[in-house]
Amino acid sequence: MTGAVFVVLLLGGVPIAVVLAMSAIFYIWASDNTLLYDSFAQQMFSGIESYGLLAIPLFMLAGELMNDGGLTRRLVNAARVFVGGFRGGLAYINLLANVFMAAIIGSAASQIAVMSRAMVPEMQKEGYSREFAAATTAAGGLLSPIIPPSMLFVIYGVLAQLPIGDMFLAGIIPGLILSAAFFLIIALIGLRQQFPKGNWMSGGEAGRAILSALPAALIPVAIVGGILGGIATPTESAAIASLIAFVLGAVLYGELKFRNLGRLFARTAVNASLVVFLVAAANVFGWVIIYEAVPQKLAAMLTTITSDPFLFFLIVNASLLLIGMVLDGIAALILVVPILLPIAVNEFGIDPFQFGVVVCLNLVLGLLTPPVGAGLYIASAMSGATPTGIFRALAPFLLSVLVVLILLSWWPALTTALID
């Protein structure tokens, strides 16, 4: 009956956080268990009582400060120095700039919005179709949940009780592999469609572009370097990144105006509160799932199907692709991890870091796949291209993600090498 309430509310367009909380309340009411009533508020609060979750609003703040402070534009210009002269150079610039931004923003939806505004008009001016420009930008957004820092990795680390710094390390090699796959896709499409030839900057222009972007490059260095060097926790690194972005935007570049800070902070607070409330509501829902021993029942069913970890991964990947098509990535992550992680680790001996990277990459695909596809609509709104046209242009990128998912599922060392 609780499942029916969940489905009805979800299909009725109720916000997912409210769906999770109301489904848990209905279960408690139906069970007439006074212990569950007494523990509801406590379980909701305990879901967000984590130091690691502080990294989420801080990473969001760093991204907002970068956008308003002119740092994003300078990083895009620096990317032009390295790949701008190749045939299809602006497509490579788009992707390389997305790699830079993925090491700062940590949110795929935010990255797609930011980079669509910056790159799609420029690519159209040079003769690229609007659909391909938007698709390349949207595909670059898929790097954000994998290249550290990642909002999904933070939430997964909290749910799985794993060190978030190690979770970030697990995403470095997969992020580079996915970036290389996207570069290859652009090269192949460019050969077929004869993309416009790019122009290399002169020595002086290249030097000025790199010097202008070097201070902005301190932010990903501060985030990743601080974590790898054991100097700062992910949350502290996010705070340092926000401070650097503020100083650079307000003092060095002079583009961040103090009069705009109130709106910037309010925007960050609203976006962060939505995520935090979702985590709190989903913790209660996950508590109900565990109380009903759903993981144990599902484990018993799956172990009758297969004992092979790779086949289990394929089943999980197929299921998550369907879940990601209808649920937000964060909500889906919070729902599936308490159920599937114990099965993966205890029944199939899968490393929790490998499982986390595969799950996070899989679920974020839902941003770009119908019927929900929030990322498609964001890219469409920012570019003016139709969601259907963007999805068609995205197909080669999505296929390459599926290949990378299978590779990561087959070879654990790709996610655990830097941790071990």
Side-chain angles (χ1 to χ4, degrees):
M1 192 63 181
T2 303
V5 171
F6 176 88
V7 171
V8 169
L9 292 174
L10 186 65
L11 295 179
V14 178
I16 184 62
V18 178
V19 172
L20 296 174
M22 292 300 296
S23 299
I25 290 172
F26 179 83
Y27 171 83
I28 294 171
W29 172 77
S31 67
D32 199 26
N33 189 322
T34 56
L35 177 63
L36 296 181
Y37 273 118
D38 295 339
S39 303
F40 183 88
Q42 180 183 357
Q43 289 296 328
M44 180 168 274
F45 180 76
S46 67
I48 57 174
E49 194 179 17
S50 171
Y51 174 71
L53 285 177
L54 270 176
I56 291 175
L58 289 171
F59 281 130
M60 287 182 170
L61 177 60
E64 293 283 356
L65 290 168
M66 285 188 64
N67 295 337
D68 282 24
L71 282 72
T72 302
R73 188 180 67 256
R74 287 171 171 82
L75 287 174
V76 171
N77 208 31
R80 187 182 294 272
V81 175
F82 300 103
V83 294
F86 295 120
R87 181 173 293 279
L90 204 52
Y92 291 115
I93 291 168
N94 190 344
L95 191 55
L96 186 57
N98 268 293
V99 173
F100 291 158
M101 294 304 296
I104 298 165
I105 292 182
S107 165
S110 299
Q111 185 166 319
I112 291 170
V114 168
M115 296 304 295
S116 292
R117 287 197 299 267
M119 293 305 304
V120 173
E122 293 299 318
M123 291 183 70
Q124 282 187 266
K125 287 178 187 175
E126 293 200 13
Y128 297 86
S129 73
R130 182 180 298 176
E131 289 75 17
F132 177 77
T136 305
T137 309
L142 294 178
L143 298 171
S144 191
I146 300 301
I147 295 178
S150 160
M151 190 187 303
L152 287 183
F153 281 179
V154 171
I155 295 172
Y156 177 82
V158 170
L159 293 172
Q161 298 183 344
L162 295 173
I164 295 172
D166 287 348
M167 196 64 222
F168 284 175
L169 287 176
I172 291 177
I173 294 176
L176 294 175
I177 292 173
L178 191 59
S179 302
F182 286 173
F183 276 110
L184 179 61
I185 292 294
I186 290 175
L188 294 175
I189 295 175
L191 287 174
R192 182 168 169 263
Q193 298 185 6
Q194 288 297 296
F195 284 156
K197 193 176 186 310
N199 297 312
W200 293 109
M201 287 184 175
S202 66
E205 289 174 332
R208 286 190 294 271
I210 291 174
L211 283 175
S212 180
L214 272 179
L218 284 174
I219 296 178
V221 170
I223 293 172
V224 180
I227 294 169
L228 294 181
I231 300 169
T233 66
T235 301
E236 291 163 350
S237 294
I240 293 168
S242 297
L243 178 62
I244 294 173
F246 172 76
V247 171
L248 293 179
V251 179
L252 182 63
Y253 298 139
E255 295 187 25
L256 184 63
K257 306 302 180 185
F258 284 90
R259 64 176 178 271
N260 297 329
L261 287 180
R263 288 195 297 271
L264 186 149
F265 290 144
R267 207 161 52 234
T268 304
V270 169
N271 292 334
S273 64
L274 293 174
V275 176
V276 172
F277 178 60
L278 178 56
V279 172
N283 190 67
V284 178
F285 191 82
W287 167 60
V288 168
I289 288 172
I290 293 170
Y291 189 86
E292 279 292 290
V294 172
Q296 291 86 335
K297 295 172 184 175
L298 187 59
M301 183 188 73
L302 286 172
T303 50
T304 61
I305 298 174
T306 181
S307 59
D308 182 0
F310 180 62
L311 185 54
F312 167 75
F313 249 136
L314 293 182
I315 295 171
V316 168
N317 278 321
S319 302
L320 293 182
L321 283 172
L322 295 175
I323 292 171
M325 287 180 182
V326 295
L327 279 183
D328 173 76
I330 295 175
L333 183 72
I334 296 169
L335 280 176
V336 303
V337 168
I339 299 173
L340 295 178
L341 181 61
I343 301 172
V345 174
N346 299 328
E347 302 296 332
F348 293 93
I350 294 171
D351 186 275
F353 293 103
Q354 178 193 14
F355 187 77
V357 171
V358 171
V359 168
C360 290
L361 177 57
N362 193 313
L363 288 177
V364 83
L365 276 175
L367 270 176
L368 301 177
T369 51
V372 178
L376 281 178
Y377 294 104
I378 292 172
S380 174
M382 297 297 169
S383 66
T386 64
T388 305
I390 297 173
F391 182 71
R392 279 199 299 265
L394 261 173
F397 294 100
L398 298 180
L399 287 174
S400 70
V401 175
L402 294 178
V403 172
V404 172
L405 275 173
I406 293 172
L407 184 62
L408 296 176
S409 302
W410 174 259
W411 198 357
L414 293 176
T415 50
T416 60
L418 296 181
I419 302 171
D420 298 337

